[in-house]
Amino acid sequence: MLLLTCPNCGVAAEETELAPGGEAHLKRVGPGSEDADFEGYLFLRKNPKGVHFERWRHANGCGKWFHAARCTVTLEVFGTYSAQTTEPPKDILLKIDDKRPGWRG
Amino acid sequence: MSNAVSALPGAAHAGIASVTEMGLQGMVTLRGDHAEIAAAVKKVAKQDLPGQRRINGGLGKGVAWMSPDELLILCAYEDAASIVEKLDKELKDAHHLAANVSDARAVFAVEGPAAREVIAKLCPVDMAVFEDGEIRRTRMAQVPAAFWMAGPDTIHVVCFRSVARYVFDLLATSAAEGSGPGFF
């Protein structure tokens, strides 16, 4: 079971209370971009085995979006943070460095 | 003016806990920056702004925290329209939305020593630590619902009117005689 703490309402919400929103921190390319770049933005995802940054919506709760950093192998959750950001917060990145050395490679 | 009726007038079930439809209840959704709407809520609903996931008061007279930018004002069914009017007047300079949602909701009471168990069977919520004065929006089987403790053994459940029959049947099944796990 996956429990994510919603940073908007503080509930440790179970997975079925949430709606997944896919990979986080995507940057839209275009207008006027190359087709290949736009295809990458639309369809190509990293999907590594291990550390993922994801968007989630607390659909059956406060209804707000948030971000989560977790490991898809162990289901360990490194942290959740506000949706109003373009990159993961430093403390979560440091925590992941600590627990999964070399994950950035 | 047509005669307003609630979703399942008089529906009731008795088992390890009783499930009762609560009839017409007034509800007003108020969206906006909590800091900006607090004074108007105090003036119109006569309630303080609740903290995160808290509810002040209860059915008929109360204010519940629904999300970082949303409150639910509970009032008498007849008063909902005038409360919207008063809120709009108080908040005319603030970005907000007040809407009378009384007819879009159904309210049930689950009463009895096993009330927590009836809810725990249906919702992904740790009912062992669920407190007085807390409101929880969650999933009840397949539909969204919210509930709070209205007394030591009473839980009030709010859901959308369109799923009122579904939620009543769920609660009634969950409260079936002899089905109590006796966990709490």
Side-chain angles (χ1 to χ4, degrees):
Chain A
M1 188 167 81
L2 182 63
L3 284 175
L4 298 174
T5 302
C6 172
N8 301 305
C9 66
V11 162
E14 195 253 345
E15 191 178 350
T16 60
E17 209 171 287
L18 305 165
E23 186 178 323
H25 311 307
L26 296 175
K27 194 174 172 197
R28 188 182 190 281
V29 292
S33 65
E34 293 295 320
D35 283 354
D37 292 340
F38 196 67
E39 185 207 8
Y41 159 71
L42 276 183
F43 301 115
L44 304 183
R45 298 293 177 262
K46 290 190 197 112
N47 198 27
K49 181 180 178 185
V51 177
H52 273 234
F53 296 93
E54 294 172 325
R55 298 166 71 233
W56 287 89
R57 192 170 83 89
H58 196 183
N60 284 323
C62 65
K64 301 293 177 198
W65 286 93
F66 63 94
H67 282 134
R70 66 182 185 104
C71 175
T72 52
V73 178
T74 61
L75 291 192
E76 177 178 4
V77 178
F78 303 114
T80 54
Y81 51 99
S82 160
Q84 283 72 38
T85 178
T86 52
E87 55 186 29
K90 282 224 171 58
D91 56 322
I92 289 182
L93 288 175
L94 290 173
K95 199 169 154 193
I96 302 174
D97 281 339
D98 204 33
K99 294 186 170 181
R100 300 281 188 283
W103 70 275
R104 290 175 199 243
Chain B
M1 190 66 191
S2 49
N3 183 28
V5 287
S6 62
L8 306 167
H13 169 90
I16 57 171
S18 71
V19 181
T20 326
E21 206 252 13
M22 298 295 282
L24 291 169
Q25 299 290 337
M27 287 186 203
V28 173
T29 281
L30 178 59
R31 300 197 81 141
D33 187 320
H34 280 193
E36 283 180 25
I37 60 181
V41 169
K42 178 86 188 162
K43 193 164 169 192
V44 175
K46 312 278 188 288
Q47 296 280 345
D48 289 327
L49 197 73
Q52 190 180 57
R53 292 204 321 282
R54 307 301 291 185
I55 175 168
N56 293 337
L59 277 187
K61 190 175 188 305
V63 177
W65 190 98
M66 300 297 269
S67 84
D69 61 358
E70 181 178 346
L71 296 173
L72 183 69
I73 296 169
L74 303 160
C75 57
Y77 181 81
E78 307 74 44
D79 297 343
S82 70
I83 284 185
V84 170
E85 231 167 76
K86 283 182 209 159
L87 284 171
D88 280 338
K89 209 169 139 208
E90 288 294 320
L91 291 167
K92 62 179 187 298
D93 296 325
H95 182 60
H96 77 286
L97 169 80
N100 178 359
V101 294
S102 310
D103 293 318
R105 305 285 165 84
V107 187
F108 300 98
V110 182
E111 265 173 284
R116 281 174 186 265
E117 292 180 334
V118 170
I119 299 293
K121 285 195 224 175
L122 301 168
C123 302
V125 178
D126 188 354
M127 291 306 291
V129 295
F130 192 76
E131 295 170 1
D132 259 6
E134 190 177 346
I135 181 168
R136 176 66 193 254
R137 296 175 73 181
T138 185
R139 171 185 65 83
M140 186 164 278
Q142 298 186 39
V143 297
F147 56 81
W148 66 88
M149 303 297 302
D153 289 329
T154 308
I155 297 174
H156 284 166
V157 179
V158 176
C159 68
F160 288 114
R161 183 184 179 119
S162 55
V163 293
R165 170 53 67 182
Y166 175 80
V167 168
F168 179 79
D169 290 348
L170 271 182
L171 290 168
T173 308
S174 182
E177 198 58 68
S179 72
F183 187 71
F184 297 126

